[in-house]
Amino acid sequence: MTSQTPSDCLFCKIVAGEIPSDRVAESERSVAFRDISPAAPVHVLVVPRRHEPTVGALAAASGDDLADVFRLAARVAEQEGVADAHRMIVNTGAGAGQTVFHAHVHVLAGAAFTEGSMV
Ligand code: 5GP
Ligand code: ZN
């Protein structure tokens, strides 16, 4: 799996404020900002401040950071008014569509989700 060092990682630069983003929430451990190319009316990315290439690697490295990403994602869903109708999606590996190798959760809402369909 492709991995990037923090010095060439897009989301590390967004976390550091070196690349601008539309930040909607943050915590001590995580940052949430709008996706530059939204796939739904609400499309927010929640990333740990710590660089790990995948959510699985984040889970192995720090359960506290993993929990915080999902805690902040839930807070974003509340803030956006979609606590009762959203999806949290994690792509892992290029074969599943992961393009940025810094762990992140997509919070998506506002589209007509098909009941019973996972994708
Ligand atoms: P992945 O495909 O890795 O699960 O998700 C990466 C996401 O990052 C994509 O949905 C893409 O639109 C988003 N993205 C890529 N570059 C930027 C950027 O510079 N700023 C923001 N806010 N989102 C980005
Ligand atoms: Zn990174």
Side-chain angles (χ1 to χ4, degrees):
M1 180 182 296
T2 312
S3 84
Q4 297 162 310
T5 59
S7 64
D8 68 4
C9 172
L10 174 65
F11 287 174
C12 281
K13 288 179 180 163
I14 286 178
V15 166
E18 290 165 18
I19 290 177
S21 69
D22 185 357
R23 210 173 266 215
V24 296
E26 60 187 299
S27 68
E28 196 181 316
R29 293 172 181 273
S30 312
V31 175
F33 52 91
R34 294 196 193 281
D35 196 292
I36 204 166
S37 178
V42 174
H43 189 171
V44 174
L45 301 171
V46 185
V47 314
R49 293 182 189 272
R50 172 193 187 113
H51 178 91
E52 294 292 343
T54 64
V55 166
L58 184 69
S62 169
D64 287 343
D65 283 322
L66 178 76
D68 192 75
V69 164
F70 282 96
R71 199 178 298 123
L72 189 60
R75 174 146 58 95
V76 166
E78 286 274 354
Q79 255 178 235
E80 297 288 319
V82 296
D84 62 348
H86 64 276
R87 281 187 183 171
M88 293 182 188
I89 291 177
V90 175
N91 298 321
T92 301
Q98 185 177 5
T99 58
V100 179
F101 286 81
H102 177 128
H104 55 280
V105 176
H106 296 255
V107 179
L108 293 151
F113 292 133
T114 309
E115 202 175 327
S117 163
M118 194 69 82
V119 291

